[in-house]
Amino acid sequence: MDSLKLYEYAWLVPTLPLLSAMIVGIGLISFNQATNKLRQVNSIFIISTLGACLTLSVALFWSQWQGAEPYTKMIEWASAGDFSLSMGYTIDHLSSLMLVIVTTVALLVMIYTDGYMAHDEGYVRFYAYLSIFSASMLGLVVSPNLVQVYIFWELVGMCSYLLIGFWYDRKAAADACQKAFVTNRVGDFGLLLGMLGLYWATGSFDFGEMGIRLHELVVSGELAGWLAALFAVLVFLGPVAKSAQFPLHVWLPDAMEGPTPISALIHAATMVAAGVFLIARMYPVFEPIPVAMDLVSWVGCFTALLGATIALTQNDIKKGLAYSTISQLGYMVMAMGIGAYSAGLFHLMTHAYFKAMLFLCSGSVIHGMEEVVGHEPVLAQDMRLMGNLRKYMPITSSCFLIGTLAICGIPPFAGFWSKDEILGLAFEANPALWLIGWLTAGLTAFYMFRMYFMTFEGDFRGKDHQIQEELLAAANIIPTDEGHHGEKPHESPLTMTFPLMMLAIPSMLVGFLGMPWNNRFEEFIASPNEAVTEVAHHFDLTEFLIMAGNSVGIALIGITLASLMYSSKKIDPSAIASKFPTLYQFSLNKWYFDEFYDSVFVKGCRRIARGIMEVDYKVVDGAVNLTGLFTIVSGEGLKYLENGRAQFYALIVFGAVLSFVIAFSVIG
């Protein structure tokens, strides 16, 4: 297939998973029982279509890597007078890279799902949801303008709502999907306002044209600088919600109520990646506005620290990883804000692989723990009931260790190269940002190895009935014996361990693409406006060794502390918690954000709603009821005057005339 023909078929990448989801969905609606019986047929069909998408995505990426020109194909979608809106797709360096990331992770997650959801009644429905979720993200990636991005942006949000609340009969899952939906609506409203403001100012929805035109308007004085900054900040609200940045980060940990495969997909390649991707696409708008760039960098920096400090004390393995994701996304957003465009995207790529693997490993652990403690998530996901799982789950433990080393930034694993590049560029941009990012790297190493040691080392605590009773009592759950089948955990089936091993490969090797003495990858994903300071900088071995030594050194300190506290037991964690009870509770209760939001926004909105209801009931309804009462009373009175007797009517007329005569006489 020649290069041009390859690009002409690029529209199939988002379309194929959308069609497969539609076919399976129609089957579920029209022939529910028959479709559900064909479980393997449906899963193989959906996995095969995504496999075809992966093949095409790799071909497109390779073509771009070899130097092919970006390709855009557009059709006119709407036109009225001077207004014209086109839709289509664009394949460039950024979109081709994202296509490979999304299709790779999504395909492995779908293979993993076959084992994880094997006994679930909604097996086929889950695959349909996964397929449309993947299609939505792929459509967002190839969108050539902001309107089309917004359409797929909302589709991604809808799919996350469906998947987080997949087990909707569980109250926690139902509440979590609503929380995710409402929180994202706040950010999306800001994005919509920013979009409309930018179109009003520039007359375009095209990313590059918007940036150029906006800059010209500000320089010429036709548009106030503060107004351009406001539009950029409003647009940034969208990524703040989607990528779980402070203060709209609260939905992501609750999203763990969904099945683990979707947790991996959300955290690695779809929902949260969409926010960072939009910042990258909107870079021509953000880059010339220093206020917006500073805001982006500091929001990302604070979010990185926030997520790490909360992850320190979490006992739920999935929620610990969720706060880890929030922290790592903070690094990416900070990188975008300091102008380290390619470094942020490089970390997005490396993080996608090792975080997908870590989440799938957590699902494998949960799957194995359910054999012992049952299917209650409070027990199966709590690390205080784990321990020594390396003995029972060697593949899962090895892959989790690889992912842990990668996220901690230990060379030569993938996370070292991408995180070190961000920290190095942060030091050049603002030493304060570097210091916070450096400290966060130490916290990351501590809490990740805390998770590893609590889960895979030490003694197995799954049969400790006292801990089980305490956990169930704290969650107000009545203990049952349902789901207890064995005395010890077991390794997961091949359909679950195969994706882990496949993801372990890029978690170890993909970082070598972006080694600092090789600018090829950095130049490949350079920003549209050419971030010259980033791409053209010359490699300095001494500087690299100093910065890398600092980041690895703080990570080793974190690992050592975690080992002393949770492996060798030379330091008692509970003793430290008792010495600093305020800080411990502050971290354990997630900085009390949920309580604050519940008190101010949830309960506040309910109070306002009750006040409005009172006004509606007493004033609006009262006025309507008074009108009805007046009508009844007047009708009841008038009916006595309409008796059909002519004499009576004549008497009324005579009385009325006499009244007028007397009135005029008095007035005269």
Side-chain angles (χ1 to χ4, degrees):
M1 184 183 292
D2 60 55
S3 179
L4 182 60
K5 191 165 287 185
L6 175 68
Y7 285 93
E8 287 177 352
Y9 285 106
W11 59 272
L12 288 171
V13 177
T15 305
L16 284 176
L18 184 64
L19 284 173
S20 62
M22 184 181 71
I23 292 167
V24 174
I26 291 172
L28 285 170
I29 294 170
S30 306
F31 313 100
N32 185 270
Q33 292 185 354
T35 304
N36 276 312
K37 286 179 181 178
L38 298 172
R39 295 161 67 92
Q40 296 298 322
V41 172
N42 284 293
S43 62
I44 292 171
F45 171 58
I46 287 176
I47 291 171
S48 299
T49 56
L50 198 63
C53 295
L54 173 59
T55 304
L56 187 53
S57 298
V58 170
L60 291 167
F61 174 77
W62 182 250
S63 175
Q64 287 290 302
W65 182 265
Q66 293 297 106
E69 290 294 318
Y71 179 89
T72 301
K73 187 169 185 177
M74 306 290 289
I75 58 169
E76 189 173 73
W77 188 56
S79 179
D82 295 334
F83 174 80
S84 178
L85 182 62
S86 297
M87 295 292 185
Y89 62 91
T90 186
I91 303 296
D92 57 9
H93 294 180
L94 176 58
S95 62
S96 63
L97 175 66
M98 289 297 296
L99 287 176
V100 172
I101 295 171
V102 175
T103 51
T104 305
V105 174
L107 180 65
L108 292 172
V109 166
M110 286 185 179
I111 295 171
Y112 178 95
T113 297
D114 179 64
Y116 190 85
M117 302 288 287
H119 303 292
D120 197 285
E121 293 180 358
Y123 177 95
V124 177
R125 176 167 60 94
F126 190 73
Y127 266 103
Y129 286 172
L130 284 179
S131 190
I132 194 172
F133 197 15
S134 304
S136 301
M137 186 61 193
L138 293 168
L140 188 151
V141 164
V142 299
S143 296
N145 58 54
L146 197 50
V147 171
Q148 194 169 328
V149 163
Y150 190 77
I151 293 170
F152 285 106
W153 184 271
E154 293 301 329
L155 277 173
V156 167
M158 180 202 73
C159 294
S160 68
Y161 172 82
L162 294 172
L163 284 159
I164 294 168
F166 183 77
W167 290 320
Y168 54 84
D169 52 341
R170 285 172 42 196
K171 186 178 185 303
D175 290 344
C177 69
Q178 291 179 47
K179 186 175 183 179
F181 184 81
V182 171
T183 306
N184 275 276
R185 295 291 69 70
V186 176
D188 292 357
F189 182 63
L191 173 60
L192 181 61
L193 291 178
M195 281 174 52
L196 297 175
L198 287 171
Y199 181 76
W200 168 77
T202 65
S204 175
F205 286 114
D206 180 78
F207 302 110
E209 192 174 331
M210 272 193 299
I212 296 169
R213 181 66 180 142
L214 192 68
H215 183 61
E216 291 174 350
L217 290 170
V218 173
V219 170
S220 66
E222 294 180 54
L223 185 70
W226 67 267
L227 197 57
L230 176 63
F231 294 155
V233 170
L234 286 170
V235 168
F236 179 55
L237 278 176
V240 164
K242 272 287 191 294
S243 289
Q245 298 296 287
F246 167 82
L248 300 178
H249 64 282
V250 291
W251 69 270
L252 192 58
D254 290 47
M256 299 304 95
E257 295 297 335
T260 301
I262 196 53
S263 300
L265 199 54
I266 285 176
H267 285 252
T270 52
M271 185 84 167
V272 298
V276 178
F277 173 80
L278 183 60
I279 297 175
R281 272 288 185 235
M282 294 294 290
Y283 212 67
V285 172
F286 287 110
E287 195 174 24
I289 305 174
V291 174
M293 294 290 279
D294 288 342
L295 178 68
V296 171
S297 62
W298 279 106
V299 166
C301 181
F302 180 75
T303 304
L305 181 64
L306 170 70
T309 55
I310 296 175
L312 291 174
T313 57
Q314 299 305 304
N315 294 308
D316 183 305
I317 188 170
K318 286 176 67 177
K319 287 193 175 179
L321 289 173
Y323 281 106
S324 165
T325 300
I326 290 173
S327 182
Q328 296 305 306
L329 288 166
Y331 273 111
M332 298 172 208
V333 173
M334 179 179 73
M336 292 292 178
I338 61 175
Y341 174 93
S342 62
L345 290 174
F346 183 31
H347 195 53
L348 174 66
M349 179 181 71
T350 60
H351 177 264
Y353 292 116
F354 61 68
K355 184 50 65 68
M357 182 176 64
L358 285 168
F359 264 107
L360 295 183
C361 284
S362 74
S364 180
V365 167
I366 294 165
H367 186 266
M369 285 295 295
E370 286 175 343
E371 183 76 13
V372 180
V373 300
H375 296 282
E376 176 53 58
V378 170
L379 302 179
Q381 296 176 195
D382 200 296
M383 292 183 289
R384 287 170 291 188
L385 282 172
M386 298 175 189
N388 200 27
L389 294 187
R390 180 166 56 89
K391 175 182 176 182
Y392 307 107
M393 310 178 73
I395 298 175
T396 301
S397 64
S398 300
C399 292
F400 196 96
L401 180 60
I402 290 170
T404 301
L405 290 167
I407 197 173
C408 292
I410 303 299
F413 296 91
F416 164 74
W417 305 102
S418 55
K419 189 187 289 186
D420 184 71
E421 188 175 355
I422 291 174
L423 289 175
L425 292 167
F427 186 80
E428 294 177 13
N430 188 331
L433 291 172
W434 170 83
L435 179 61
I436 297 172
W438 179 72
L439 291 172
T440 302
L443 295 176
T444 302
F446 175 81
Y447 69 70
M448 285 305 303
F449 268 90
R450 170 183 178 266
M451 294 176 68
Y452 176 78
F453 290 136
M454 287 182 71
T455 305
F456 297 103
E457 302 294 338
D459 299 322
F460 181 60
R461 301 174 293 275
K463 300 303 292 183
D464 192 323
H465 296 293
Q466 183 180 350
I467 299 177
Q468 291 187 25
E469 289 171 4
E470 290 174 358
L471 294 176
L472 291 171
N476 296 318
I477 295 173
I478 300 172
T480 64
D481 291 329
E482 182 183 354
H484 296 256
H485 304 297
E487 292 295 317
K488 59 184 181 181
H490 59 80
E491 184 60 276
S492 299
L494 183 62
T495 50
M496 294 174 66
T497 54
F498 173 75
L500 302 184
M501 293 183 284
M502 288 297 100
L503 286 166
I505 296 171
S507 297
M508 291 187 289
L509 302 178
V510 77
F512 289 113
L513 281 174
M515 290 185 296
W517 52 84
N518 175 20
N519 283 336
R520 179 71 179 91
F521 184 77
E522 192 173 347
E523 291 170 356
F524 178 75
I525 55 173
S527 75
N529 291 348
E530 291 297 323
V532 176
T533 56
E534 190 183 355
V535 175
H537 79 280
H538 297 288
F539 174 66
D540 187 325
L541 180 61
T542 304
E543 180 185 339
F544 169 74
L545 291 175
I546 292 172
M547 297 306 299
N550 274 302
S551 61
V552 173
I554 191 72
L556 291 175
I557 292 172
I559 294 169
T560 303
L561 285 173
S563 176
L564 291 172
M565 293 171 69
Y566 297 99
S567 181
S568 63
K569 306 288 185 182
K570 291 182 179 179
I571 301 176
D572 185 8
S574 59
I576 296 176
S578 62
K579 285 184 180 179
F580 305 98
T582 304
L583 290 176
Y584 176 74
Q585 290 298 324
F586 202 63
S587 172
L588 186 65
N589 290 285
K590 309 157 192 173
W591 287 36
Y592 295 98
F593 275 107
D594 285 330
E595 289 80 0
F596 176 75
Y597 287 171
D598 182 66
S599 176
V600 174
F601 296 111
V602 178
K603 292 178 180 175
C605 288
R606 286 175 180 170
R607 283 193 291 270
I608 292 171
R610 280 195 294 269
I612 293 172
M613 189 173 68
E614 287 291 315
V615 171
D616 180 70
Y617 178 72
K618 293 181 178 178
V619 178
V620 179
D621 279 4
V624 173
N625 293 338
L626 184 62
T627 304
L629 179 63
F630 176 77
T631 304
I632 291 172
V633 171
S634 59
E636 285 291 327
L638 288 172
K639 76 178 183 179
Y640 293 106
L641 301 179
E642 299 177 358
N643 53 20
R645 296 172 62 186
Q647 308 94 298
F648 183 72
Y649 295 154
L651 180 62
I652 292 173
V653 172
F654 176 75
V657 172
L658 182 61
S659 299
F660 278 116
V661 170
I662 293 171
F664 281 117
S665 299
V666 171
I667 292 171

